Amino acid sequence: QVQLVESGGGLVQLGGSLRLSCAASGGIFSIGIMGWYRQAPGKERELVATITSGGSTNFADSVKGRFTISRDNAKNTVYLQMNSLKPEDTAVYYCNANIGKTSWAFDNYWGQGTQVTVSS
């Protein structure tokens, strides 16, 4: 039913930019906090950035000043703008969202992941 579909990943050179998007669909009543996580090969999944329904943002120290997170509530979509990319940003990026199918019940959902590779 509810799905998070990511797009925008790819291969980019050091210093380049990419914009990831994640669109939620399927019987959505409302969406609370949304965020992006990433997982490098052999590493644990880590928080990249979050954004609340009111627009308050939080970033990992490693991406602060380079990445921005935004959302379009009318489109049920969250974005991650990645600038000044470094090889250490290489990872699979996952979208996450707290979604309510009704006014009284929220569940947590994950996207399928999209690969971001930064070459030096």
Side-chain angles (χ1 to χ4, degrees):
Q1 36 189 359
V2 173
Q3 295 184 31
L4 299 178
V5 180
E6 303 179 22
S7 62
L11 175 65
V12 66
Q13 294 183 21
L14 185 152
S17 298
L18 284 174
R19 188 182 73 161
L20 307 182
S21 64
C22 173
S25 63
I28 297 172
F29 185 84
S30 63
I31 302 178
I33 192 169
M34 306 183 81
W36 291 92
Y37 295 73
R38 67 186 183 186
Q39 187 168 20
K43 304 296 183 181
E44 297 295 314
R45 189 173 300 184
E46 65 176 354
L47 175 74
V48 177
T50 61
I51 182 168
T52 68
S53 59
S56 180
T57 60
N58 179 258
F59 298 91
D61 289 340
S62 60
V63 306
K64 192 172 298 182
R66 299 186 298 119
F67 291 12
T68 58
I69 186 170
S70 61
R71 62 193 288 170
D72 186 335
N73 292 329
K75 297 179 179 179
N76 292 332
T77 300
V78 62
Y79 305 92
L80 184 69
Q81 178 66 47
M82 303 183 292
N83 300 322
S84 301
L85 283 163
K86 306 173 181 179
E88 47 264 48
D89 294 318
T90 295
V92 177
Y93 284 70
Y94 296 91
C95 175
N96 183 77
N98 200 36
I99 297 175
K101 294 181 290 183
T102 65
S103 62
W104 64 87
F106 282 76
D107 290 311
N108 188 250
Y109 295 88
W110 289 94
Q112 80 286 353
T114 184
Q115 177 70 48
V116 171
T117 302
V118 184
S119 64
S120 59

